[in-house]
Amino acid sequence: MAETADVVVVGGGCIGTSIAWQLARRGAGRVIMLEKTGIASGATGWSSAIVRMHYTHEPLIKMALFGRRMFENFEDEVGGDSGFRRVGFLVVLPPEDVPAARRVVGLQRGLGIDATMLSLEEIAEIEPRLSLEGVVAGTWEPDSGHADGSSTANSFAAAARNAGADLRIGAEVTGVQPGDGSSIRISTTTGDIEAGSVVMASGYRTSALLEPLGVELPIKPVRHSIAVVERTADFGPQHPVISDHIQNGYYRPEGADLVLLGDHDPLEGDIDHDIETDKQPPPTSIARHTARFANRFPSEADAMYRRGYTGTYDTTPDFQPALGAVKAIPGLFVAVGFSGHGFKLSPSVGRIMSDVVLEGETDVADISMFRVERFAEGDLVTAPEGYGTRSLA
Ligand SMILES: Cc1cc2nc3c(=O)[nH]c(=O)nc-3n(C[C@H](O)[C@H](O)[C@H](O)COP(=O)(O)OP(=O)(O)OC[C@H]3O[C@@H](n4cnc5c(N)ncnc54)[C@H](O)[C@@H]3O)c2cc1C
């Protein structure tokens, strides 16, 4: 006979651990989280973990704000460390992005976020070492910064355990089937579980698990590369996180003297179904990252390349997640397809998914645009001027 649970969460990244914690602390009953490899062994462990609120759509701004606030008070709210550093978030803009960025800043300010448009002079005051070639304006969020994916997910996992959740590492889900009408049956490598509710937070692999149920969930695993460079000795104090819309990349400080360099374009990388095999980044991508950094920080032409690695973006056709109940299958929920920008949203997704599972709705943000049915209906999320789809804003 199958074991029973009130809620099963599949996946132990920042999304699954955040959901498991919220469910357990809110008294969801017997909560089991299943992770096939290890906490943060997927995209979360490779994430640049930039925490910013610059988003085109109001629900995403609200979700990012919820997350930023939790990162700021992480030890008190969750316990443990998220690695959050409030270094500020600067966007440098070409002329064509200014109207959309202005609209984003207006939305942010309406929600009480400290965000401003910057002139070239104001950008130079915040970061005087920056070359302003091709830049006509900027945006600035002093309260944003970056955290650490592994620390955050492991802290969520510890908090979930402390709240009574049963976290099973090494348990791989092999099948998901509707149960006897009021339950979902999960087959795993360590036995079957009959659960009242099941939340799939298992990244791009969720598509294949739900395909036999007729759930259309188009997610491509896109491998993204990161270069880590060491700044020159006389660089001076750390720079903020910088999103470069002219060169389509970002520069994210790490520790005292390192910088993580990455791509903006959600499809800049290879679709790779063999993604969990460790692979070095292609040399061309490292050259692209380091050239961009040296263009933007001319003093850093001699920054030392330290290492590179790759991680997965679980990418949907509109670069937005599938979030909420699967309408056709009572008891089944998804929180997947974050397309390279899910880390900062993970605190809010935990709260949202626990709201939806326990109460059927959430007041954190209107998540209707993220419903999974939009893929089958062809009703994809769009962004004015294509802004959000080019830069994940
Ligand atoms: C290089 C890189 C840089 C990024 N930078 C940022 C950033 O700066 N800011 C930001 O907000 N986001 C960023 N992201 C995106 C962010 O990291 C992801 O959106 C987020 O980590 C997704 O979390 P997740 O829990 O959904 O997925 P994952 O971390 O991939 O977790 C899914 C888990 O499910 C498990 N699993 C899969 N199948 C099964 C199964 N059948 N049974 C049991 N377990 C299973 C996997 O082992 C995995 O641990 C970046 C991502 C990458 C790769």
Side-chain angles (χ1 to χ4, degrees):
M1 211 174 114
E3 190 184 0
T4 58
D6 292 292
V7 192
V8 167
V9 179
V10 183
C14 56
I15 299 293
T17 53
S18 173
I19 296 169
W21 169 57
Q22 289 281 5
L23 285 166
R25 71 190 275 267
R26 295 178 66 182
R30 187 164 155 69
V31 176
I32 300 178
M33 196 202 83
L34 305 169
E35 163 55 52
K36 70 180 173 59
T37 310
I39 302 295
S41 58
T44 299
W46 303 102
S47 183
S48 299
I50 294 169
V51 174
R52 47 88 183 173
M53 298 166 284
H54 192 92
Y55 269 114
T56 304
H57 298 281
E58 191 171 276
L60 288 165
I61 300 176
K62 286 183 174 172
M63 290 163 68
L65 173 60
F66 184 104
R68 214 261 321 138
R69 285 181 173 146
M70 190 182 286
F71 285 119
E72 187 96 54
N73 299 306
F74 202 81
E75 199 178 337
D76 290 343
E77 284 193 45
V78 185
D81 188 18
S82 70
F84 180 67
R85 304 284 176 269
R86 184 184 170 279
V87 296
F89 178 70
L90 173 66
V91 183
V92 291
L93 298 161
E96 62 271 23
D97 279 359
V98 172
R102 205 178 285 288
R103 211 176 54 78
V104 167
V105 169
L107 283 172
Q108 290 180 303
R109 292 177 72 86
L111 293 168
I113 294 171
D114 183 1
T116 41
M117 289 298 296
L118 298 179
S119 64
L120 291 182
E121 293 71 26
E122 288 165 327
I123 297 173
E125 268 171 41
I126 288 169
E127 185 40 79
R129 296 162 293 196
L130 215 57
S131 155
L132 294 178
E133 196 185 337
V135 180
V136 298
T139 72
W140 176 237
E141 293 171 20
D143 294 334
S144 292
H146 68 84
D148 180 82
S150 298
S151 303
T152 300
N154 277 281
S155 295
F156 278 141
R161 253 190 223 105
N162 289 340
D166 179 355
L167 272 49
R168 299 191 184 165
I169 312 303
E172 177 167 359
V173 171
T174 52
V176 181
Q177 302 100 33
D180 63 7
S182 61
S183 67
I184 305 281
R185 197 179 182 89
I186 293 281
S187 313
T188 86
T189 47
T190 57
D192 289 1
I193 307 174
E194 197 89 28
S197 303
V198 171
V199 185
M200 303 298 294
S202 33
Y204 76 94
R205 291 179 169 274
T206 310
S207 304
L209 286 168
L210 299 190
E211 196 183 355
L213 301 179
V215 179
E216 191 173 331
L217 189 53
I219 304 180
K220 289 177 181 161
V222 181
R223 184 183 284 272
H224 269 250
S225 70
I226 299 290
V228 183
V229 295
E230 183 175 329
R231 292 185 294 257
T232 53
D234 51 1
F235 182 78
Q238 210 174 49
H239 56 81
V241 175
I242 297 170
S243 171
D244 185 338
H245 283 211
I246 294 96
Q247 299 197 92
N248 274 322
Y250 62 81
Y251 324 119
R252 183 286 225 185
E254 168 75 9
D257 50 14
L258 300 179
V259 192
L260 310 186
L261 308 176
D263 287 309
H264 270 332
D265 185 338
L267 293 174
E268 185 74 71
D270 300 325
I271 292 170
D272 185 350
H273 293 276
D274 192 20
I275 202 107
E276 275 143 29
T277 311
D278 189 23
K279 275 193 201 153
Q280 287 298 305
T284 49
S285 76
I286 298 302
R288 181 174 69 240
H289 293 313
T290 52
R292 264 187 209 142
F293 184 57
N295 286 342
R296 201 47 85 198
F297 280 100
S299 69
E300 297 312 289
D302 295 328
M304 202 185 322
Y305 172 64
R306 281 290 187 189
R307 61 183 177 277
Y309 51 83
T310 59
T312 318
Y313 282 16
D314 54 342
T315 306
T316 65
D318 56 13
F319 311 117
Q320 298 302 340
L323 213 54
V326 177
K327 288 203 184 81
I329 304 170
L332 183 62
F333 300 83
V334 290
V336 293
F338 287 88
S339 306
H341 60 105
F343 173 77
K344 73 186 76 57
L345 305 176
S346 60
S348 66
V349 173
R351 169 63 199 282
I352 286 170
M353 294 307 295
S354 63
D355 282 347
V356 173
V357 169
L358 298 173
E359 294 161 13
E361 58 185 5
T362 184
D363 61 4
V364 174
D366 178 0
I367 59 164
S368 55
M369 69 191 279
F370 306 124
R371 69 198 191 289
V372 66
E373 291 77 18
R374 74 181 188 276
F375 300 118
E377 293 163 5
D379 183 20
L380 299 185
V381 176
T382 55
E385 297 117 354
Y387 188 63
T389 50
R390 273 201 317 279
S391 57
L392 297 179

